[in-house]
Amino acid sequence: MSDLTRRTAAELSGLLASGEVSAVEVARAHLDRIAAVDGDVHAFLHTATESALADAAAVDAARAAGEQLPTLAGVPIAVKDVMTTQGQPTTAGSKMLEGWVPPYDATVVKNLRQARLVLLGKTNMDEFAMGSSTEHSAYGPTRNPWDLNRIPGGSGGGSAAALAAFEAPLATGTDTGGSIRQPASVTGTVGVKPTYGAVSRYGLIAMASSLDQAGPCARTVLDAALLHEVMAGHDPLDSTSLKDGYPDVVAAAREGARNGIAGLKIGVIRELHGGDGGYQAGVLARFDESLELLTKAGAEIVEVSCPSFTSALAAYYLIMPSEASSNLAKFDAMRYGLRVGPQGVEAPSAEQVMAATRAAGFGDEVKRRIILGTYALSSGYYDAYYGSAQKVRTLIQRDFAAAFAQADVLVSPTSPTTAFQLGAKLDDPLSMYLQDVATIPANLAGVPGMSLPSGLADEDGLPAGIQLLAPAQADDRLYRVGAALESLLNDGWGGSILDKAPKTLEATK
C-alpha cells in the first residue's frame, strides 16, 4: 500500500469501505506524519493522539459488526482551533483562552463526530481569526510547506498547511474575509466559504458575526464537497442558520469532473483583475491560462463590472472591527478566560483587573482592531463610519446581483500575490489587509466562494489560486466549475499541483 497520507479523502473512504485498510492504520499514518514534520510546519496547536486512535478503533469495530457507516467514516480531519471541542483545548490562537477545555462541541464538530470522522487535533490560526498570515497566533507562526520561510496564509494557515504537508486529508476552516480561501491559494489546496448561514456558527468563537462562516478545506474539489456535505445543514442553535436551500454539492463535483461545463457563462470581475497594478504578474498569468482552459471546455467568458468592490476593503475594515470589538468584550476576566491583576496594586478594582487582563491576553493585532471598532461605533461617529460602511455593503450586494444576472459564476485571482516571507508585512498592516482584497466582497454579500490552485507563479514557483463565486445557496455551481477546471489543470500538470512541491519536509526529517 502506498503512503496513506498521500491519498485523498475520497480514496481513503473507498479503501476503508472495502476493508483494504483499517481506520486505525489510517489514523496512525497521519499521526506519525504529524510527529515527523509538524516541528517544522507548526500546523497543529494540539494533537489528540489517544482519542483519535480510540475513535478509529470504534469505526473499525462498527464496520466489522456490519454497521452501515457514513461515507467519510474513519477518515482523519484537522479542526481549526476556533471551534469548540469537548475534552480538547480550544484557544482561538490566543493567550486569553490558554488551557480552556470546552464542555461542549461546536455544531460543526458534532456533525464531524456523527459522520464518524477521526479528529486528529486543533490547528494553528491568527489570534481570534484576525490576520492573513497566521503570524498573529499567540503560539507562534505556522510555516508554508512549500517554503518554510514563507507564510501559509491566514487566519486559517494551520489547516491549509496541514493539508499541504500531508498531515491530514481534510480540515475545517472559518472565513470572515478570506481566511479559508487565501490560505488555500498560497498553499496549493482547495478551500470553500459556503453561503452565509449554510454551516452553523454555534460553537465558533466569534470575530464578526455577520461575516463569519465555517467551511471545508481539502486537497481536491471532490474532497471539499464530501466534507461540505457533512458540515452543512440547518441548526436551531444558530439564529442565522438557513432552513432550506442546500444543493447537492457532491453530485455537482462529480458532474463537473465527468461532463464539464459547456454552455455556462463565466464572469471575469473587472475590478478584481489586477488593473490597479497590485497583482503579481505570475498570479495573473496563471489566472488567464485558467480562463483559456474554461473557454476550451465550452464555457463562455464575459466581463462584468462591480464598481462598489473598490470600496469593499474599506467597508470591511469598519464593519469587521466594530463587530469584533463587541464580540470580544466578553473577555473581561470576570466570567471566564485569563485573569491577571495589575502589578503593585493590593486591592485592584474590577476595571483595573479588566484592563490588566486584556492588556496581557490580547495581541497587538487584536488590540488594533478593538480600538478601531470601538471608535467606529462611538457616539458621534457611528453614522459616519459604521453606518456608511453598511451602505457600501448594500451596494456590493446589488453589484453581485447584477453580475449574476449576466453570468452563472464569477471568477478572479484569489490573492494578489503568492506566499510572502515571514515577517515581511508585520510592520505594515495595510499591506497585510490588501491580501484579502479579492475575497472580502463575498463575505460582505454572504455569497459562496471557492479557491483552487491555478498553477505556479513564474517569479517564485509558488502556488497561485483562482477564486470562483456563485449566488447565495448556489454552492453547487462552485463545485461543478471547480471540479471541471481542476480536472483540466491536473491533466496539463500530469497530476496534482502538490506533486510539484519541493521535498523540503522530507529533507528535514
Side-chain angles (χ1 to χ4, degrees), residues 95-100 330-340 357 361:
K95 291 293 184 183
M96 188 65 81
L97 288 173
E98 186 171 18
W100 182 53
K330 59 180 170 282
F331 298 104
D332 57 5
M334 298 294 111
R335 286 165 285 192
Y336 55 86
L338 182 70
R339 183 187 178 102
V340 300
T357 297

Side-chain angles (χ1 to χ4, degrees), residues 91-378:
T91 69
S94 178
K95 291 293 184 183
M96 188 65 81
L97 288 173
E98 186 171 18
W100 182 53
V101 179
Y104 69 102
D105 279 333
T107 296
V108 166
V109 174
K110 182 185 73 174
N111 291 347
L112 299 178
R113 294 193 197 277
Q114 289 178 344
R116 307 298 293 270
L117 282 98
V118 174
L119 277 60
L120 295 172
K122 308 297 288 294
T123 56
N124 198 13
M125 56 181 284
D126 286 298
E127 184 180 8
F128 289 107
M130 298 186 192
S132 301
S133 66
T134 316
E135 293 173 286
H136 294 298
S137 169
Y139 305 99
T142 295
R143 297 174 180 271
N144 193 323
W146 286 79
D147 181 342
L148 296 176
N149 293 314
R150 293 180 183 265
I151 60 101
S155 63
S159 287
L163 296 170
F166 297 96
E167 296 176 271
L170 296 171
T172 65
T174 58
D175 193 309
T176 306
S179 292
I180 289 175
R181 290 163 288 155
Q182 185 254 2
S185 177
V186 300
T187 57
T189 58
V190 177
V192 179
K193 183 201 89 68
T195 296
Y196 182 78
V199 177
S200 173
R201 291 187 298 109
Y202 179 77
L204 273 61
I205 298 171
M207 175 169 69
S209 301
S210 75
L211 301 167
D212 296 343
Q213 184 58 66
C217 308
R219 289 195 291 263
T220 71
V221 173
L222 177 58
D223 282 1
L226 291 166
L227 180 54
H228 187 141
E229 187 176 60
V230 170
M231 296 176 68
H234 176 64
D235 180 13
L237 298 176
D238 177 2
S239 63
T240 62
S241 179
L242 297 172
K243 290 184 170 60
D244 53 27
Y246 293 92
D248 190 336
V249 294
V250 175
R254 291 189 166 127
E255 171 69 15
R258 183 173 56 248
N259 295 325
I261 51 171
L264 290 184
K265 282 189 176 181
I266 310 293
V268 178
I269 304 170
R270 181 188 305 160
E271 289 76 12
L272 300 181
H273 194 206
D276 62 354
Y279 286 75
Q280 187 175 322
V283 170
L284 288 177
R286 300 295 84 78
F287 175 73
D288 290 339
E289 289 169 3
S290 295
L291 294 182
E292 292 176 11
L293 287 176
L294 291 170
T295 301
K296 291 178 181 177
E300 179 185 351
I301 307 297
V302 298
E303 185 179 67
V304 299
S305 180
C306 299
S308 63
F309 284 18
T310 58
S311 300
L313 190 72
Y316 175 85
Y317 275 99
L318 287 168
I319 295 170
M320 176 274 296
S322 297
E323 295 187 13
S325 71
S326 176
N327 278 323
L328 296 185
K330 59 180 170 282
F331 298 104
D332 57 5
M334 298 294 111
R335 286 165 285 192
Y336 55 86
L338 182 70
R339 183 187 178 102
V340 300
Q343 293 184 352
V345 181
E346 292 186 6
S349 66
E351 290 81 1
Q352 288 173 318
V353 172
M354 288 180 192
T357 297
R358 288 167 72 86
F362 289 140
D364 289 344
E365 182 61 24
V366 174
K367 292 174 183 174
R368 180 182 294 118
R369 299 192 191 196
I370 289 174
I371 291 169
L372 178 60
T374 303
Y375 181 80
L377 292 176
S378 60

Side-chain angles (χ1 to χ4, degrees), residues 308 389-399 444:
S308 63
Q390 291 288 17
K391 292 176 182 177
V392 172
R393 187 177 197 170
T394 299
L395 295 177
I396 290 168
Q397 292 167 345
R398 290 175 181 172
D399 277 352
L444 291 171

